[in-house]
Amino acid sequence: MANRQRRVLVIGAGGQARDVRFVLDQLRTAGRPFTFAGYVVSDLAQLTDRDSRRDVVGDLSFLRAHRDRFDALALAIGSPDVRLQVAAALEAEFGPDMWPALVHPSAILDWGTCRMAHGVLLCPGVVGTVNVVLGPYCMVNYSCTLGHEASIGRGCVVNPGANLSGGVVLEEGGLIGTGAQILQYRHVGRGATVGAGAVVTRDVAEGATVVGVPARPMPRLRGPERD
Ligand SMILES: CC(C)(COP(=O)(O)OP(=O)(O)OC[C@H]1O[C@@H](n2cnc3c(N)ncnc32)[C@H](O)[C@@H]1OP(=O)(O)O)[C@@H](O)C(=O)NCCC(=O)NCCS
């Protein structure tokens, strides 16, 4: 499998999907065996002008009807809740091996001690150190930093420029806004949201949304509003 070209279908067609395509193109340029094969969306009727309609090959039924047209899948969905739902459904159907970890060539971690699950996406300029744990389907966007022993749970989305200090734990389905700072050993509960630019000085409860400096809770939010 190591050197065989893998045609990758990207699930999503918006801005994050174009980011994933960019990573795939850069990996290909660097000699890694990945080729962009198109975008797939859950509902063609919901496409907007912000989506890359031209490269959409179909909806999820395409995956069943054209199993010969792809070798791998990549998630490009910004909402952790939706990410987790889509990943669970497609993993049940196509298995975990269908989801390669996609690591931009400029990302730096101590690969010897890092634990990386399937479906991970590391964007350009991610820098981390030792014993970092990256759970299935988590996404770390460009220019984020991950301190020693930082742990990112299943389906988490870490937006550009966020800094996770050493020992930070993000439980499943967390969303970290762009430029957020999370201080050392803080724990961010399952499904919690940290707003853009927040400085997290205390643990964040499950499902909570925190914003500001220092971060304080907002009323509970669920669903697409977290984008
Ligand atoms: C925290 C967040 C999830 C709240 O989303 P929301 O419920 O749609 O929030 P709204 O835009 O309705 O704002 C509600 C209030 O919170 C404030 N607010 C929103 N986000 C805030 C933030 N990050 N920090 C401080 N205050 C914030 C708004 O100013 C508004 O205050 P007001 O009622 O006094 O005007 C969202 O603003 C956020 O930060 N998401 C992360 C976005 C991101 O990382 N984008 C990068 C994508 S690559």
Side-chain angles (χ1 to χ4, degrees):
M1 182 63 75
N3 290 319
R4 188 167 68 79
Q5 281 295 319
R6 297 183 79 182
R7 297 160 298 171
V8 183
L9 280 178
V10 176
I11 312 298
Q16 192 179 115
R18 291 187 286 280
D19 288 346
V20 174
R21 179 180 185 168
F22 171 70
V23 171
L24 286 169
D25 289 347
Q26 294 254 303
L27 284 169
R28 189 178 184 198
T29 301
R32 300 288 308 282
F34 298 111
T35 309
F36 171 71
Y39 300 120
V40 167
V41 296
S42 52
D43 185 353
L44 292 167
Q46 302 262 323
L47 285 171
T48 73
D49 290 344
R50 291 186 181 182
D51 295 311
S52 293
R53 296 169 189 267
R54 206 185 55 177
D55 293 313
V56 173
V57 295
D59 61 15
L60 294 177
S61 64
F62 180 93
L63 302 178
R64 284 148 218 141
H66 299 283
R67 184 61 197 85
D68 57 326
R69 299 265 296 272
F70 65 98
D71 310 293
L73 297 169
L75 272 186
I77 298 171
S79 158
D81 299 343
V82 181
R83 229 177 144 76
L84 286 167
Q85 285 165 20
V86 171
L90 293 181
E91 184 178 307
E93 193 165 351
F94 297 102
D97 293 344
M98 187 59 76
W99 305 86
L102 299 176
V103 177
H104 188 272
S106 66
I108 298 170
L109 284 177
D110 179 28
W111 305 116
T113 59
C114 165
R115 280 195 283 136
M116 183 154 29
H118 59 283
V120 167
L121 175 70
L122 294 185
C123 290
V126 171
V127 176
T129 63
V130 295
N131 302 317
V132 169
V133 177
L134 299 162
Y137 308 109
C138 76
M139 189 269 208
V140 184
N141 216 317
Y142 53 87
S143 299
C144 289
T145 62
L146 307 174
H148 55 86
E149 288 89 43
S151 173
I152 302 182
R154 177 181 283 262
C156 285
V157 172
V158 183
N159 280 332
N163 300 126
L164 277 57
S165 302
V168 165
V169 174
L170 306 185
E171 297 289 355
E172 174 175 305
L175 173 68
I176 309 303
T178 187
Q181 313 286 313
I182 307 184
L183 300 193
Q184 65 276 12
Y185 297 104
R186 298 307 184 268
H187 179 271
V188 178
R190 186 178 168 128
T193 299
V194 173
V199 176
V200 173
T201 59
R202 299 177 183 171
D203 289 351
V204 179
E206 177 173 336
T209 295
V210 297
V211 295
V213 182
R216 293 286 183 255
M218 276 179 82
R220 188 182 174 95
L221 291 174
R222 300 295 308 167
E225 296 92 331
R226 294 204 288 159
D227 293 334

